[in-house]
């Protein structure tokens, strides 16, 4: 089943006189339960691509069709709500609200969604335990290591029961032990909840785990391979 | 809302030093403004009270044109109906009748122009407490035909208590007025001009002197509080016959009104400047609080926070700083101002002389009207409201993508 369908996606940035074609006509689709890495050299358009899928950056042309309709036909308020209910994000950094504890960070998304308190608390506990830091539920992000923070971010991304999770270089700030740990965690979550994961990455270790690798260069898909892992 | 408050509150203490410094600047502004306003309100009230008691009363009824010409021809008879009209007003506490005019006082070869006041001694005393300036002799007795002189006037004439001085002037409708009167006492006023000029006598004696039986020039009215002034004037005015005019102290002492208004304007200017400096300080803090969190806020929007929610959170953060400052400012200034209201500072030495020479009690009085506290609090609120518009602009411009590009 297709989760996301992408049609001829183009993004042109006007930086001064020069027009930068960050994404230059990408057409593809993602299916339920994919574990996909988007790779390519720096500046190839990975982040731009993910941001357009995630409703963060408006395409110059093309469509991002989720559940049969183009998300870019929504109003900006609707897009925010759409993101909240359908997409989980894991960014490279600044993922967590620093004044909220790990538990509150996870719970808050469900709070925004209007889930009842009991369900929120139970799911928060379950998710933090699943990502391996159940004992740090009351810690603020500043008291957690980079790896632990990213684990909370994954738990939070899963909390809203999204259709898919977008992760832009989630391991870029982590050492190799933390990277391996986080990758294993995401692979496990992918299996456990059958949630679609799409990464942008430079990291060979991430690529080694991916079951599909989309290679982008100059804003175009150069290669799209599937692996049985 | 509870969550917004929780997040905002915690955000405040991420940089507690900055928050405290900013709140402290608000506190200082509120405290200073309250103190200054209280001092102004108190001293103006004191000033007005003194001036009103001594000179004009809160309200006067005069013949038409007397205020401008001060001619005895514009005198009038204050009949029973006027009395009952005035005393019908709830706010009226005391009244007294006067003749105010000019004359020439002489003794031996000396003479001097003088201001003559025909007064009702008991009633006048109850209002202005004029006898406290008595420096020699006795105060006017009811029915007595004696006079009181300003101390300097007596010295200039070379007259002392018990002597008889002559008064010469022009009476009602140009009749000549002349008489000799025994000096019963001397008054030592703080104001040199009064000291040099004043002659007091019983109203009846004065009416005789000017050949104007039953007539007066001024009907002086005191009321319980300034707040009732306008209403009282307004309710007497329509019932007066058309030869009479009613004035409030502001009409009668425009120089005092000017003085107060000038000082109030200066005070407003200083407070305005202060609040402007504080406003810019707060603004700078708010700018820092928002810009250093641009990424974090971008992430929050990416996660599903609507911009309105981010805006509300940021406004609450800023407002909390203001609230802490305002509450602290009022909590500290209220007891102080209240204490000073009940225990005004008594001025001594040279300062006291200056006060007295201007006709004021040597007191630094304070006010504790609601406005004294309300105005600074309101000003701070307005400042934060303006800042909230800036915050709105900031949030409206926030782009998640820019915020996320590292
Ligand atoms: N907001 C922007 N304004 C102008 N140009 C931009 C903007 N964002 C990205 N670009 C340009 O678009 C191109 C693609 O950028 P993008 O960030 O998508 O690359 P990337 O593949 O994610 O790179 P990296 O691996 O370094 O993260 C680059 O040339 C970049 O300079
Ligand atoms: Mg990138």
């Amino acid at each position: 089943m297709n989760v996301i369908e992408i049609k001829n996606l183009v993004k042109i940035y006007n930086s001064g006189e020069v027009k930068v074609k960050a994404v230059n006509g990408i057409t593809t689709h993602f299916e339920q339960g994919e574990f996909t890495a988007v790779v390519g050299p720096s500046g190839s358009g990975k982040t731009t691509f993910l941001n357009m899928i995630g409703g963060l950056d408006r395409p110059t042309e093309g469509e991002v069709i989720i559940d049969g309709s183009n998300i870019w036909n929504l109003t900006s308020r609707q897009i925010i709500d759409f993101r909240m209910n359908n997409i989980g994000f894991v960014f490279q950094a600044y993922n967590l609200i620093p004044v909220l504890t790990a538990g509150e960070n996870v719970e808050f998304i469900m709070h925004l969604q209007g889930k009842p308190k009991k369900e929120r608390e139970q799911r928060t506990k379950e998710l933090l335990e699943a990502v391996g830091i159940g004992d740090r539920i009351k810690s603020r992000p500043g008291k957690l290591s980079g790896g632990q923070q990213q684990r909370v971010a994954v738990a939070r991304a899963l909390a809203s029961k999204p259709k898919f999770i977008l992760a832009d270089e989630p391991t870029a700030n982590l050492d190799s032990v933390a990277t391996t740990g986080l990758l294993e965690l995401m692979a496990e979550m992918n299996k456990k909840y059958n949630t679609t994961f799409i990464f942008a990455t430079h990291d060979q270790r991430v690529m080694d785990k991916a079951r599909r690798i989309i290679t982008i260069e100059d804003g175009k898909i150069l290669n799209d391979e599937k692996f049985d892992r | 809302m509870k969550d917004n408050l929780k997040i905002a509150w915690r955000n405040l203490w991420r940089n507690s030093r900055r928050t405290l410094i900013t709140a402290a600047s608000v506190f200082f502004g509120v405290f200073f403004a309250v103190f200054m306003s209280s001092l102004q309100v108190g001293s103006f009230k004191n000033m007005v009270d003194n001036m009103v008691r001594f000179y004009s009363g809160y309200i006067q009824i005069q013949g038409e044109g007397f205020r401008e010409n001060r001619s005895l021809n514009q005198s009038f008879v204050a009949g029973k109906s006027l009395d009952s009209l005035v005393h019908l007003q709830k706010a009226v506490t005391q009244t007294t009748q006067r003749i105010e005019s000019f004359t020439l006082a002489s003794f031996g070869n000396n003479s001097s122009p003088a201001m003559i006041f025909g007064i009702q001694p008991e009633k006048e005393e109850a209002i202005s407490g004029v006898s406290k300036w008595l420096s020699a002799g006795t105060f006017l007795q009811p029915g007595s035909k004696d006079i009181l002189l300003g101390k300097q006037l007596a010295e200039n004439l070379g007259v002392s208590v018990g002597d008889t001085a002559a008064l010469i002037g022009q009476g009602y409708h140009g009749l000549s007025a002349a008489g000799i009167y025994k000096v019963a006492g001397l008054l030592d006023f703080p104001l040199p001009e009064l000291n040099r000029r004043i002659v007091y006598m019983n109203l009846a004696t004065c009416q005789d002197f000017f050949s104007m039986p039953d007539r007066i020039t001024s009907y002086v009215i005191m009321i319980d509080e300034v707040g009732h002034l306008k209403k009282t004037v307004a309710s007497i005015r329509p019932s007066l016959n058309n030869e009479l005019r009613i004035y409030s102290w502001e009409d009668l002492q425009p120089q005092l009104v000017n003085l107060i208004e000038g000082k109030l304007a200066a005070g407003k200017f200083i407070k305005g400047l202060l609040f402007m400096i504080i406003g810019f300080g707060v603004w700078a803090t708010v700018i820092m609080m928002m810009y250093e969190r641009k990424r974090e806020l971008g992430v929050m929007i990416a996660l599903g926070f609507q911009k309105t929610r981010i805006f509300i959170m940021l406004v609450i953060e800023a407002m909390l700083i203001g609230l802490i400052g305002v509450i602290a400012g009022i909590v500290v200034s209220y007891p102080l101002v209240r204490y000073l209201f009940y225990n005004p500072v008594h001025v001594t030495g040279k300062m006291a002389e200056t006060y007295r020479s201007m006709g004021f009690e040597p007191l630094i009085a304070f006010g504790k009207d609601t406005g004294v506290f309300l105005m600074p609090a309101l000003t701070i609120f307005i400042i934060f409201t303006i800042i909230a518009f800036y915050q709105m602009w900031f949030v409206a411009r926030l782009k998640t993508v820019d915020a996320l590009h590292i």
Side-chain angles (χ1 to χ4, degrees):
Chain A
M1 188 188 107
N2 282 359
V3 181
I4 311 165
E5 198 162 337
I6 301 203
K7 286 188 182 161
N8 189 32
L9 212 52
V10 174
K11 177 73 191 187
I12 300 170
Y13 287 114
N14 292 309
S15 44
E17 299 283 292
V18 232
K19 289 189 172 180
V20 180
K21 283 200 167 177
V23 169
N24 192 8
I26 291 182
T27 302
T28 184
H29 60 84
F30 297 93
E31 281 168 23
Q32 181 72 43
E34 271 192 33
F35 200 67
T36 298
V38 177
V39 303
S42 184
S44 56
K46 305 183 291 294
T47 297
T48 309
F49 179 51
L50 251 59
N51 284 346
M52 288 192 289
I53 301 174
L56 297 172
D57 202 358
R58 182 173 289 276
T60 314
E61 269 175 52
E63 293 174 35
V64 176
I65 297 163
I66 298 170
D67 275 350
S69 57
N70 183 0
I71 62 166
W72 289 107
N73 288 337
L74 299 172
T75 66
S76 53
R77 284 188 72 88
Q78 285 171 330
I79 284 183
I80 291 177
D81 280 342
F82 179 85
R83 281 201 299 263
M84 177 178 77
N85 289 315
N86 298 284
I87 312 175
F89 289 95
V90 180
F91 301 108
Q92 181 179 333
Y94 300 101
N95 264 301
L96 304 176
I97 301 170
V99 294
L100 298 182
T101 63
E104 287 166 338
N105 261 289
V106 174
E107 198 186 328
F108 214 94
I109 296 295
M110 294 183 272
H111 191 82
L112 289 178
Q113 288 179 313
K115 299 264 165 65
K117 191 171 155 88
K118 220 168 150 182
E119 185 189 330
R120 281 178 353 229
E121 282 174 354
Q122 200 185 330
R123 189 164 167 79
T124 301
K125 211 161 159 273
E126 181 195 312
L127 283 168
L128 283 179
E129 269 161 19
V131 299
I133 48 169
D135 55 333
R136 305 303 301 270
I137 190 164
K138 289 214 159 67
S139 301
R140 293 225 190 154
K143 295 261 153 62
L144 300 175
S145 73
Q148 288 172 323
Q149 288 184 35
Q150 291 305 70
R151 282 164 182 268
V152 177
V154 171
R156 187 200 54 202
L158 289 164
S160 60
K161 298 191 176 159
K163 292 205 171 61
F164 56 95
I165 289 179
L166 296 174
D168 193 355
E169 318 242 9
T171 58
N173 288 356
L174 302 182
D175 61 32
S176 76
V177 178
T179 299
T180 313
L182 190 73
L183 274 172
E184 271 165 12
L185 168 71
M186 290 197 286
E188 188 191 327
M189 295 296 126
N190 169 252
K191 293 234 166 71
K192 184 168 174 185
Y193 298 106
N194 197 29
T195 308
T196 311
F197 276 75
I198 304 169
F199 312 95
T201 189
H202 286 294
D203 197 324
Q204 191 56 49
R205 286 162 299 198
V206 181
M207 298 179 217
D208 291 345
K209 280 265 176 193
R211 292 197 297 276
R212 178 182 173 191
I213 297 181
I214 301 174
T215 311
I216 297 185
E217 226 173 276
D218 295 331
K220 287 186 173 137
I221 294 181
L222 195 71
N223 197 5
D224 189 346
E225 280 181 283
K226 290 196 169 127
F227 305 90
D228 269 333
R229 291 201 242 260
Chain B
M1 192 64 200
K2 219 179 93 203
D3 297 288
N4 283 332
L5 204 65
K6 179 172 82 181
I7 296 184
W9 179 255
R10 290 190 192 169
N11 273 324
L12 276 190
W13 304 110
R14 279 162 82 170
N15 192 334
S16 53
R17 186 205 299 243
R18 182 172 66 201
T19 299
L20 286 176
I21 288 174
T22 311
S25 77
V26 173
F27 159 80
F28 174 75
V30 170
F31 179 82
F32 180 85
V34 165
F35 192 80
M36 184 165 159
S37 300
S38 168
L39 182 60
Q40 282 198 323
V41 166
S43 58
F44 295 156
K45 197 167 172 304
N46 190 30
M47 222 144 97
V48 168
D49 208 59
N50 277 277
M51 299 295 269
V52 156
R53 287 197 164 275
F54 196 74
Y55 291 102
S56 60
Y58 281 108
I59 302 169
Q60 270 193 26
I61 296 170
Q62 302 177 345
E64 190 206 342
F66 181 74
R67 187 172 65 144
E68 293 77 25
N69 308 326
R70 306 200 76 80
S71 156
L72 292 177
N73 297 344
Q74 286 137 350
S75 61
F76 63 99
V77 178
K80 282 228 159 49
S81 60
L82 184 64
D83 264 335
S84 53
L85 167 65
V86 168
H87 283 283
L88 216 59
Q89 311 304 319
K90 264 218 231 79
V92 172
T93 53
Q94 294 153 307
T95 60
T96 188
Q97 304 181 10
R98 287 183 195 155
I99 291 174
E100 297 179 16
S101 190
F102 304 97
T103 184
L104 193 74
S106 65
F107 183 69
N109 290 329
N110 303 325
S111 61
S112 167
M115 293 189 284
I116 190 164
F117 281 83
I119 59 165
Q120 301 174 296
E122 282 168 10
K123 290 182 168 181
E124 189 74 31
E125 174 64 13
I127 292 173
S128 65
V130 63
S131 74
K132 70 170 175 257
W133 307 113
L134 195 73
S135 69
T138 53
F139 192 63
L140 283 183
Q141 300 304 310
S144 150
K145 293 201 157 39
D146 298 344
I147 58 172
L148 302 176
L149 297 183
K151 195 172 161 222
Q152 190 61 46
L153 176 61
E155 257 172 51
N156 292 350
L157 294 173
V159 70
S160 38
V161 176
D163 291 343
T164 301
L167 301 178
I168 304 146
Q170 202 177 44
Y172 185 51
H173 283 309
L175 291 173
S176 76
I180 51 171
Y181 300 94
K182 199 171 118 211
V183 178
L186 302 182
L187 296 166
D188 187 4
F189 290 111
L191 276 174
E193 181 61 18
L194 293 180
N195 237 350
R196 242 190 343 258
R197 299 276 175 246
I198 248 179
V199 177
Y200 271 116
M201 60 170 65
N202 261 311
L203 183 61
T205 317
C206 199
Q207 284 165 340
D208 261 4
F209 174 65
F210 284 124
S211 322
M212 45 187 283
D214 299 330
R215 301 185 79 84
I216 60 168
T217 62
S218 325
Y219 188 100
V220 177
I221 302 169
M222 294 299 283
I223 52 174
D224 49 3
E225 57 170 287
V226 190
H228 298 143
L229 182 66
K230 288 213 167 65
K231 213 178 122 216
T232 309
V233 170
S235 72
I236 296 176
R237 180 171 280 141
S239 312
L240 290 177
N241 76 43
N242 53 14
E243 270 122 59
L244 296 183
R245 292 290 175 269
I246 185 165
Y247 300 111
S248 69
W249 70 268
E250 289 144 320
D251 304 323
L252 298 165
Q253 304 202 54
Q255 63 307 338
L256 183 59
V257 175
N258 283 343
L259 177 79
I260 289 177
E261 277 174 357
K263 290 199 171 187
L264 276 178
K268 271 190 194 138
F269 180 75
I270 292 170
K271 282 183 275 186
L273 213 62
L274 179 78
F275 277 122
M276 217 150 86
I277 293 166
I278 289 168
F280 277 111
V282 172
W283 190 35
T285 298
V286 168
I287 287 176
M288 282 189 274
M289 279 169 69
M290 298 194 305
Y291 273 89
E292 71 190 8
R293 272 158 54 204
K294 237 179 147 171
R295 290 219 174 99
E296 179 186 325
L297 297 174
V299 168
M300 288 172 88
I301 295 172
L303 294 181
F305 280 72
Q306 290 291 351
K307 285 191 170 189
T308 37
R309 200 174 180 124
I310 302 253
F311 168 67
I312 289 169
M313 180 186 85
L314 291 174
V315 167
I316 292 175
E317 282 178 31
M319 290 273 179
L320 279 175
I321 293 181
L323 204 66
I324 293 170
V326 167
I327 289 175
I330 287 175
V331 160
V332 173
S333 62
Y334 180 73
L336 179 72
V337 161
R338 198 183 129 91
Y339 174 82
L340 289 168
F341 176 78
Y342 290 111
N343 306 280
V345 179
H346 288 268
V347 182
T348 52
K350 267 226 166 64
M351 269 287 267
E353 286 313 309
T354 316
Y355 270 74
R356 283 207 190 84
S357 70
M358 293 191 299
F360 306 135
E361 277 178 88
L363 273 187
I364 299 181
F366 288 79
K368 60 176 187 64
D369 309 28
T370 328
V372 164
F373 303 96
L374 207 60
M375 285 318 285
L378 212 65
T379 310
I380 294 290
F381 180 72
I382 290 169
I383 289 174
F384 277 87
T385 306
I386 294 168
I387 287 175
F389 278 102
Y390 169 76
Q391 293 179 301
M392 201 195 293
W393 177 80
F394 173 88
V395 173
R397 274 190 343 150
L398 257 185
K399 286 217 179 78
T400 30
V401 205
D402 293 344
L404 292 173
H405 261 283
I406 300 170

